[in-house]
C-alpha cells in the first residue's frame, strides 16, 4: 500500500513541486514502508515520481517492499545533501513542502542552508497540514488494516476477561494485554496500555500500578495495537464481583453518552457537534464537571491524529475519517468509567469498527 498518487495530486492544489517527508508516520503513509526515527527521507514530486532515501541498514528490506518510488542509498560519500541537491536540480523543484510540525529547528536550518546554497534556489513551504488533511480520509485498504488491528485487540480482551479476578494487579493485566496482542499478530502497541481500577479509575490516563483488583471495583482498560502500520484503540470498563447503584448509574450514563455521540457523528458535521451530543447526556445526569476530556480523536498511522471531536473542533468531519468515541466520567479518588470504540464516518452516519460488547460486565 502506498499513497504517492494522493500526495502528488494534493501538491498540485497547493502549487508545490514536491514535499519532503521526514517523520516516520508520513514516510510510512506515503510509501507503506516503515523506518523509525530519522533514518530515511521521502521526496514526493508532483510530476516526476517519488524517491525514498535510506542507508544500507534498510535498503534490502526497502527494496523488497517498496513500490512506486525510486530507492536511493545514502552512503558516507553520497549523503542526503548530495542526493537532495541532485534530485532538486533534476526534477526542477522550486517550491518544496516540508513538515513544519515535525522538523527540528536544527534540521530545518540544515535544509534551508542546503536549498539556498543550491544554485537552483528552492523555497521551503510549510506542508504538515497538507499531509494531516490527506491522512484524515481512510481508503478501503487502510480501513481493513485498522479493522485487523481492532480484531486483534478484541481477541486479547476476550482472553484477559477470563483472567481478571481479585488479587490480580493492574500491571499484570497490562503486561498480559501486551503479550496477547503481540501473540495474535500485532507488530507493536499503539500506546502503553492503561489499566486502572477502583479509585485509580478516576485518572483518565493513569499508569498501571501494583495495586490489586478488589471485588466491588471497576477495572478500566484502554489499549490498542499496530497492525500493517495502523493503530487500534479501545476502552472497556468491567466490574469485579458486584456493583453499587452509583457505579451502575455512572456506567449507564457513559454508555448512553457514547451512543448519543455516535448517533450524531457523520460526514459534514463538526467534531464540536459530536462532542456536544455526548456531553449533554452526561451533564443531564449531573456528571457534567466529571467528563474532563474530549469525545474523540482521529486514529490511523498514529494513535492521535486529525480530525478531533472536541468542543473546539469547528471544521466539518470528512467522510472516511476514523475517530474514537470515548466519553468518560471520573469521580476523583473514587471511581471512573470510560467506554471507547472507533468509528468510520460515512455520508449518512458511521460504521463502528469495534465489535466487543459494551453492556456492563460483572466478572
Ligand atoms: Zn484509548
Ligand atoms: Zn482514544
Amino acid at each position: 500500500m502506498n499513497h504517492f498518487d494522493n500526495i502528488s495530486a494534493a501538491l498540485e492544489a497547493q502549487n508545490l513541486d514536491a514535499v519532503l517527508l521526514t517523520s516516520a508516520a508520513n514516510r510510512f503513509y506515503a510509501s507503506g514502508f516503515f523506518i523509525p526515527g530519522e533514518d530515511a527521507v521521502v521526496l514526493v514530486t508532483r510530476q516526476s515520481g517519488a524517491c525514498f532515501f535510506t542507508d544500507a541498514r534498510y535498503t534490502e528490506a526497502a527494496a523488497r517492499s517498496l513500490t512506486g518510488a525510486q530507492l536511493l542509498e545514502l552512503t558516507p560519500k553520497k549523503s542526503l545533501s548530495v542526493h537532495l541537491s541532485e534530485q532538486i536540480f533534476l526534477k526542477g523543484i522550486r517550491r518544496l513542502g516540508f513538515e513544519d510540525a515535525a522538523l527540528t529547528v536544527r534540521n530545518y536550518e540544515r535544509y534551508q542552508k542546503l536549498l539556498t546554497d543550491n544554485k537552483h534556489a528552492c523555497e521551503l513551504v510549510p506542508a504538515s497540514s497538507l499531509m494531516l488533511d490527506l491522512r484524515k480520509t481512510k481508503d478501503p485498504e487502510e480501513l481493513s488494516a485498522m479493522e485487523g488491528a481492532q480484531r486483534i485487540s478484541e481477541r486479547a480482551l476476550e482472553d484477559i476477561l477470563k483472567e481478571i479476578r481479585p488479587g490480580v494487579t493492574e500491571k499484570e493485566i497490562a503486561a498480559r494485554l501486551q503479550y496477547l496482542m503481540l501473540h495474535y499478530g500485532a507488530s507493536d502497541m499503539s500506546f502503553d496500555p492503561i489499566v486502572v481500577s477502583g479509585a485509580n479509575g478516576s485518572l483518565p490516563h493513569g499508569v498501571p500500578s501494583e495495586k490489586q483488583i478488589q471485588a466491588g471495583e471497576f477495572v478500566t482498560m484502554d489499549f490498542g495495537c499496530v497492525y500493517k502500520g495502523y493503530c487500534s484503540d479501545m476502552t472497556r470498563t468491567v466490574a469485579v464481583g458486584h456493583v453499587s447503584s452509583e457505579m451502575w448509574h455512572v456506567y449507564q450514563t457513559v454508555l448512553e453518552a457514547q451512543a448519543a455521540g455516535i448517533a450524531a457523528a457523520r460526514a459534514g458535521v463538526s467534531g464540536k457537534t459530536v462532542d456536544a451530543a455526548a456531553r449533554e447526556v452526561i451533564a443531564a445526569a449531573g456528571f457534567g464537571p466529571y467528563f474532563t476530556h474530549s469525545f474523540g480523536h482521529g486514529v490511523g498511522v498514529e494513535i492521535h491524529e486529525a480530525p478531533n471531536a472536541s468542543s473546539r473542533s469547528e471544521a466539518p468531519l470528512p467522510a472516511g475519517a476514523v475517530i474514537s468515541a470515548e466519553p468518560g466520567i471520573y469521580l476523583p479518588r473514587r471511581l471512573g468509567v470510560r467506554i471507547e470504540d472507533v468509528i468510520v464516518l460515512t455520508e449518512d452516519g458511521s460504521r463502528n469498527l469495534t465489535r466487543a460488547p459494551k453492556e456492563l460486565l460483572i466478572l
Side-chain angles (χ1 to χ4, degrees), residues 9-31:
L11 292 175
E12 179 141 22
Q14 300 282 318
N15 195 25
L16 291 171
D17 299 312
V19 64
L20 191 66
L21 302 176
T22 47
S23 71
N26 279 334
R27 289 188 316 242
F28 173 79
Y29 172 76
S31 68

Side-chain angles (χ1 to χ4, degrees), residues 101-120:
L103 206 61
T104 61
V105 174
R106 189 201 301 210
N107 281 338
Y108 173 75
E109 283 170 352
R110 274 189 195 151
Y111 285 123
Q112 186 130 50
K113 186 167 184 308
L114 165 74
L115 299 175
T116 47
D117 283 355
N118 193 305
K119 57 184 171 170
H120 303 277

Side-chain angles (χ1 to χ4, degrees), residues 191 222-223 233-235 297 326 338 340:
F191 56 94
D222 186 348
F223 58 102
D233 190 7
M234 70 182 297
T235 308
H297 56 84
E326 52 176 309
R338 178 167 64 259
E340 176 180 29

Side-chain angles (χ1 to χ4, degrees), residues 200-358:
N200 289 348
S202 64
L203 309 169
H205 275 193
V207 178
S209 74
E210 303 290 354
K211 179 189 167 300
Q212 294 183 342
I213 311 300
Q214 287 167 35
E217 286 184 342
F218 276 135
V219 182
T220 299
M221 295 166 284
D222 186 348
F223 58 102
C225 66
V226 181
Y227 177 69
K228 294 187 176 172
Y230 285 79
C231 293
S232 68
D233 190 7
M234 70 182 297
T235 308
R236 286 294 179 270
T237 300
V238 298
V240 180
H242 51 92
V243 291
S244 66
S245 60
E246 183 189 45
M247 285 166 78
W248 188 87
H249 183 49
V250 168
Y251 191 92
Q252 297 307 324
T253 306
V254 174
L255 191 56
E256 238 178 80
Q258 196 210 33
I262 292 175
R266 66 180 157 78
V269 306
S270 69
K272 192 177 173 170
T273 307
V274 178
D275 179 276
R279 206 166 288 282
E280 270 164 30
V281 172
I282 290 177
F287 295 115
Y290 306 109
F291 176 21
T292 46
H293 53 74
S294 48
F295 179 78
H297 56 84
V299 187
V301 173
E302 290 179 290
I303 184 62
H304 292 135
E305 57 180 56
N308 281 324
S310 82
S311 55
R312 286 164 296 143
S313 318
E314 310 270 359
L317 297 163
V322 174
I323 59 165
S324 68
E326 52 176 309
I329 294 175
Y330 311 95
L331 306 181
R333 295 176 186 280
R334 294 177 53 215
L335 60 91
V337 172
R338 178 167 64 259
I339 303 168
E340 176 180 29
D341 291 346
V342 287
I343 60 175
V344 55
L345 303 181
T346 59
E347 294 299 342
D348 52 5
S350 69
R351 184 164 67 82
N352 201 328
L353 302 186
T354 318
R355 292 186 193 153
K358 290 181 281 190

Side-chain angles (χ1 to χ4, degrees), residues 16 27 78 126 129 137 169 179 290:
L16 291 171
R27 289 188 316 242
K78 197 159 182 187
S129 52
T137 299
T169 69
Y179 170 80
Y290 306 109

